[in-house]
Amino acid sequence: MPPLETRALHLGYEDHQVIHNLDLRIPEGQITVLVGGNGCGKSTLLKAFARLLKPRQGTVLLDGHDIQHRATRQVAQRLAILPQGPTAPEGLTVHQLVRQGRYPHQRWLQSWTREDEDRVDQALADTDLEDLAHTPVDALSGGQRQRAWIAMTLAQDTGILLLDEPTTYLDLTHQIDILDLLAELNTRGQKTIVMVLHDLNLACRYAHHIVAVRDGRVHAKGRPDEVVTETMVREVFNLGCRIIRDPLFDTPLCIPFGKSMETRREGAPNAVDA
């Protein structure tokens, strides 16, 4: 049984339909990356997985049960989500923010436990924020702030992590650090991770399973080798490219080019396809 599944799912906002009759299974214990152009429905689908958006029709299943019929605490103990552009109350410190990840595990009148504190400390250590624990979140740089929110989702200690563009605002070093951390969590803890990424090459490097979304529908899904092709990039992103093998990771490597380059290549007498 997949941990997350959609059946005949329709999603939208007011009079705008975004996701159309979608059937999708998320593999357990793997990293799934959603890719596609802006406005194709990736973030909308992630919201539905987290029960932040109610389906117009169809169903989202969490562990085989309609997520709309699960108790809020049960859902929060099973999955955590990092949406785009989260905001924290003014003056809230990093440590206080990360502590909020433990709230789904609290009970009425139950005191804060050693396990709760250990989870918070580990999340701070995993995201390299120990020295900033008592710094207000609104005083952090964009990259530090993003790591603080990721730390909160880690402290929640769920089997499923949903992340909408987790590398936003991060420089290249911290992008790799965060993706390496998520890969380690997947390997070490067998966490099921679903995230939206815009960088197709990083998606190929870290994903076990890629879902390419176009106009609210699944255009292609499967292993990176199966999904990321020149045809897919052209159809989903309306972009010409060449796909070669990454010399370090042996994954698909997308080399994009615009229309001016395509015209130049067509006019070059010695142009050779990669």
Side-chain angles (χ1 to χ4, degrees):
M1 180 185 302
L4 284 170
E5 181 179 2
T6 70
R7 294 181 182 175
L9 184 66
H10 294 257
L11 300 170
Y13 307 96
E14 297 180 354
D15 59 349
H16 179 51
Q17 186 80 7
V18 179
I19 296 293
H20 309 269
N21 197 33
L22 186 70
D23 293 320
L24 180 63
R25 290 186 168 196
I26 299 299
E28 184 172 12
Q30 295 189 11
I31 297 176
T32 296
V33 176
L34 308 179
V35 302
N38 291 336
C40 69
K42 306 182 300 296
S43 297
T44 298
L45 181 57
L46 212 64
K47 290 178 182 178
F49 281 150
R51 209 180 67 172
L52 299 179
L53 182 63
K54 187 175 181 179
R56 290 181 166 182
Q57 297 179 45
T59 310
V60 175
L61 301 177
L62 175 62
D63 298 325
H65 302 282
D66 188 338
I67 197 171
Q68 295 295 323
H69 298 155
R70 301 288 296 270
T72 299
R73 183 182 295 276
Q74 289 180 334
V75 174
Q77 289 177 347
R78 185 70 176 105
L79 62 83
I81 183 169
L82 176 63
Q84 289 186 48
T87 57
E90 185 176 354
L92 194 74
T93 67
V94 171
H95 188 271
Q96 290 170 332
L97 175 67
V98 178
R99 279 174 60 101
Q100 293 188 20
R102 298 303 300 164
Y103 288 163
H105 301 276
Q106 305 300 302
R107 293 291 186 271
W108 181 249
L109 296 181
Q110 176 182 333
S111 61
W112 186 261
T113 67
R114 181 69 253 176
E115 180 183 359
D116 293 323
E117 196 62 38
D118 287 344
R119 296 292 185 186
V120 170
D121 289 345
Q122 187 62 53
L124 290 169
D126 285 343
T127 51
D128 196 24
L129 288 171
E130 293 166 299
D131 293 341
L132 296 171
H134 301 293
T135 302
V137 174
D138 50 15
L140 301 176
S141 69
Q144 291 168 337
R145 192 176 303 122
Q146 187 76 343
R147 284 189 284 143
W149 283 101
I150 290 175
M152 189 192 75
T153 66
L154 296 183
Q156 197 169 328
D157 191 31
T158 61
I160 304 170
L161 290 179
L162 309 176
L163 305 106
D164 195 352
E165 300 182 36
T167 56
T168 299
Y169 307 123
L170 300 180
D171 60 30
L172 186 57
T173 299
H174 286 112
Q175 287 183 44
I176 299 301
D177 286 345
I178 289 298
L179 293 173
D180 280 348
L181 169 62
L182 294 173
E184 181 183 351
L185 291 169
N186 167 258
T187 301
R188 186 182 66 208
Q190 293 299 300
K191 290 184 182 293
T192 299
I193 297 175
V194 185
M195 57 181 163
V196 173
L197 287 180
H198 278 301
D199 190 313
L200 198 55
N201 292 328
L202 289 179
C204 289
R205 182 182 300 181
Y206 287 92
H208 302 105
H209 188 75
I210 286 182
V211 179
V213 182
R214 177 188 178 192
D215 297 331
R217 295 179 171 87
V218 172
H219 183 82
K221 59 183 177 179
R223 299 191 314 270
D225 286 334
E226 299 171 333
V227 172
V228 181
T229 65
E230 294 171 12
T231 300
M232 184 281 284
V233 174
R234 184 171 58 253
E235 293 175 348
V236 170
F237 295 94
N238 192 28
L239 182 68
C241 76
R242 286 294 176 266
I243 302 295
I244 63 174
R245 303 303 298 178
D246 187 309
L248 295 179
F249 296 93
D250 196 34
T251 53
L253 184 65
C254 176
I255 302 175
F257 52 80
K259 292 181 180 179
S260 61
M261 178 61 73
E262 193 162 357
T263 301
R264 192 182 313 168
R265 291 183 74 261
E266 290 173 353
N270 297 319
V272 177
D273 286 342

